[in-house]
Amino acid sequence: MAAFWQQRGRRQENGGLGSVLDGLGSVFDVLLANARLVLGVSGAAVLAIATLAVKRLIDRATSPRDEGDPKAEQKTLEESWQDLALIKTTPKPPKKQRREDLSEPLLSPARPLVPGEAQDPRVCSAPLGAPQVKSSPLRCLTLQERLLSHHNSQLAVPEIQVSLVPQLARSISTQLQNFLRSKCPELPFGRLFLSGALLDGLEVLAADHINLMLPVVLDTGLWSLIPGEDTVVRNPQYWMIKRVDLGYFPRGSSPWDRFMVGRYLSSNVLNETLHKMLVASINWPAIGSLLGCVIHPVVASPELKLEVKHDQVELSITLFPVVEMEDKVLLAVPPEGLVENLWLESFYRAEVSKVKELDADDSGARQRCLRILNGVCRSHPTLHKLGGSPVTHVILHLSATGSDWAEQSLADRFQQVLEELVAYLEKGVLPSYFNPKINLFSELLEEEIDEMGFVLYRAMSEPELLL
């Protein structure tokens, strides 16, 4: 007790220093008690170390020194510096990441070495003995390589569709053929056959549609062809089929006279009759059950179309009545409008045959280029009307100029086809390869031509945009 009062008296003698230090000690205790809540675990640890060092300084300053030990004051100071050093060496808690700091680079860019300047030996680019990782440079593909890769990997039709779709379509064709023979035995329909890019090896992306051709067999002594350019429509792509010799062979001599409008075989009347049969007369649920699929005729479509749903494929089948006369292939596809007696001339068979013939002569890449462009047009919402016949005719026009169609020239020919398409779109005219009087762009709107031309014009400098 005497020592306590003696120590207290000494603190009072020092101008009230002891009371001040006692107050500071109380403040430190309060801070330590609430440090975890305010600063977190790491912040509280740092504050505790700092507080401990300061309290040691206070204790040493207020404790009685041994007067017999002359090095006591020096020792106290040394311990105090050690405590301060402890505070300095304590690691600081990591600064909280700010949102604006996320955009800053993690490492500052290295300053380029000035010629003649010695590099600081203290700076080491890599530790000795560390394995050196060689970064392989990125290999940029050429357009030729990208086209070949795109053709081989992106355009392939799934094998299940290639095998199943023709088989399913032929089964439906057989059922439809049997129905027509039993329902309309007086009409000399020919044998139904399949047509389309899938069968010719030109299909891309998916085999989801196929054409079913229904031959209409006409007596050439009773019917003749009238060019469309000689009619009121003045369109060389369409033809009219006229009934002749009505004085010697009166109406009813031909089984197809029932489909005449005036003196012409009406494609529209024939389509309407077949449409009624497809929708109302054929038991498609029973046929679908027999073939393991579901078949629905499309009622609202002006075309003769069937929608087929199988477990593995979904297929659209379009039926086309076709007349073959005088080396012409005419489809019952009348143009929109009041004219209902016109038949559309189809060049598809001649197109495919000519492309394959040219490729066989010079081992060319026309079919490969055609598949790539058809895939581009089919997948692009603006270019879908350019696929098929227009692209084929551009390739045939280029082939007539003697261009090199070897496989190693695929990229050059691809770009050349794009340039030719842009030139034809600027004129608004693409003449048919088989009949220059026919404009294959005649059915396109001016806005559609402008949009297609803009897309292809951009692709001329960057063809990769289309792949």
Side-chain angles (χ1 to χ4, degrees):
M1 182 66 69
F4 170 76
W5 284 109
Q6 183 179 5
Q7 182 177 1
R8 182 178 180 183
R10 290 181 180 178
R11 290 176 181 175
Q12 291 177 352
E13 290 177 358
N14 291 332
L17 179 61
S19 60
V20 174
L21 295 176
D22 290 340
L24 289 175
S26 301
V27 172
F28 291 147
D29 293 337
V30 173
L31 289 176
L32 288 175
N34 296 276
R36 176 173 294 185
L37 296 177
V38 178
L39 301 178
V41 177
S42 59
V46 174
L47 181 60
I49 295 174
T51 305
L52 179 60
V54 174
K55 290 184 69 176
R56 287 180 181 177
L57 292 175
I58 295 174
D59 292 340
R60 293 191 186 102
T62 57
S63 61
R65 291 189 291 271
D66 188 1
E67 297 179 356
D69 187 3
K71 296 182 179 180
E73 183 176 358
Q74 181 179 359
K75 181 179 180 182
T76 304
L77 291 176
E78 291 176 356
E79 293 176 352
S80 301
W81 284 113
Q82 292 175 1
D83 293 337
L84 291 178
L86 178 64
I87 298 176
K88 290 182 180 181
T89 56
T90 303
K92 296 181 179 180
K95 183 177 66 174
K96 186 178 182 180
Q97 189 78 14
R98 297 180 302 170
R99 180 176 299 177
E100 54 269 20
D101 295 337
L102 297 177
S103 60
E104 298 179 359
L106 296 178
L107 297 176
S108 58
R111 183 174 62 90
L113 185 62
V114 179
E117 180 182 0
Q119 186 176 1
D120 191 350
R122 293 173 297 177
V123 179
C124 183
S125 59
L128 295 177
Q132 299 293 330
V133 179
K134 295 182 180 180
S135 60
S136 58
L138 295 178
R139 181 171 178 264
C140 297
L141 297 178
T142 64
L143 178 59
Q144 176 82 9
E145 293 171 333
R146 293 202 61 179
L147 288 174
L148 293 176
S149 175
H150 182 76
H151 176 272
N152 297 331
S153 60
Q154 302 296 327
L155 301 180
V157 180
E159 187 64 29
I160 184 63
Q161 296 183 9
V162 175
S163 59
L164 181 58
V165 166
Q167 178 183 355
L168 188 59
R170 288 189 180 95
S171 300
I172 295 175
S173 172
T174 301
Q175 297 296 324
L176 182 57
Q177 186 87 65
N178 295 335
F179 171 81
L180 291 175
R181 287 177 179 175
S182 61
K183 182 72 175 179
C184 310
E186 74 282 0
L187 294 178
F189 286 112
R191 185 174 183 82
L192 286 160
F193 62 93
L194 303 182
S195 178
L198 176 64
L199 302 177
D200 298 314
L202 300 177
E203 186 61 271
V204 293
L205 301 179
D208 54 2
H209 68 282
I210 199 166
N211 298 329
L212 189 57
M213 316 304 289
L214 176 61
V216 176
V217 182
L218 299 178
D219 186 348
T220 56
L222 299 179
W223 303 91
S224 65
L225 299 183
I226 306 298
E229 54 189 328
D230 296 340
T231 65
V232 292
V233 296
R234 301 296 179 185
N235 191 335
Q237 195 169 1
Y238 289 92
W239 293 75
M240 300 183 75
I241 304 176
K242 185 179 181 179
R243 180 68 156 80
V244 296
D245 294 334
L246 284 175
Y248 295 98
F249 303 97
R251 190 182 184 95
S253 300
S254 172
W256 303 105
D257 288 345
R258 56 186 285 195
F259 301 104
M260 282 199 309
V261 174
R263 295 184 61 180
Y264 300 95
L265 182 61
S266 174
S267 56
N268 193 28
V269 174
L270 180 58
N271 280 335
E272 288 179 353
T273 303
L274 292 173
H275 189 274
K276 292 178 181 178
M277 293 182 183
L278 291 178
V279 172
S281 301
I282 303 179
N283 189 356
W284 291 116
I287 295 176
S289 177
L290 178 65
L291 301 179
C293 61
V294 178
I295 306 174
H296 292 293
V298 181
V299 179
S301 174
E303 298 178 322
L304 306 174
K305 185 173 292 188
L306 301 173
E307 297 292 343
V308 182
K309 293 185 178 180
H310 190 270
D311 292 339
Q312 296 174 305
V313 295
E314 291 188 4
L315 175 64
S316 174
I317 300 178
T318 305
L319 178 66
F320 288 103
V322 55
V323 172
E324 297 189 34
M325 287 182 62
E326 302 177 8
D327 298 329
K328 310 293 182 185
V329 179
L330 307 179
L331 304 180
V333 184
E336 296 182 0
L338 300 178
V339 182
E340 58 182 14
N341 298 332
L342 296 178
W343 293 70
L344 176 67
E345 183 174 6
S346 172
F347 298 101
Y348 176 77
R349 188 186 303 174
E351 293 167 3
V352 175
S353 176
K354 188 63 177 179
V355 169
K356 291 186 176 182
E357 176 186 344
L358 293 173
D359 272 354
D361 290 340
D362 58 8
S363 301
R366 295 173 185 82
Q367 297 177 71
R368 181 169 294 179
C369 184
L370 180 58
R371 281 191 290 266
I372 295 174
L373 289 169
N374 281 342
V376 168
C377 294
R378 182 171 181 176
S379 60
H380 201 287
T382 304
L383 304 177
H384 66 279
K385 288 188 176 182
L386 279 183
S389 187
V391 173
T392 305
H393 284 252
V394 172
I395 291 178
L396 292 176
H397 283 307
L398 286 177
S399 299
T401 63
S403 302
D404 179 17
W405 281 94
E407 183 174 331
Q408 58 268 24
S409 302
L410 176 61
D412 295 335
R413 297 291 79 79
F414 181 83
Q415 288 185 299
Q416 192 175 6
V417 172
L418 296 182
E419 295 172 1
E420 292 294 318
L421 277 172
V422 171
Y424 287 127
L425 288 170
E426 288 178 349
K427 299 176 183 178
V429 177
L430 173 58
S432 169
Y433 177 81
F434 301 100
N435 186 355
K437 297 179 181 179
I438 297 176
N439 177 19
L440 298 180
F441 289 163
S442 60
E443 301 296 332
L444 297 178
L445 301 176
E446 185 176 354
E447 294 79 7
E448 293 175 334
I449 292 178
D450 292 340
E451 292 176 358
M452 293 176 186
F454 175 73
V455 172
L456 294 177
Y457 181 78
R458 290 184 56 196
M460 286 171 55
S461 57
E462 296 182 79
E464 294 82 1
L465 294 175
L466 299 177
L467 302 179

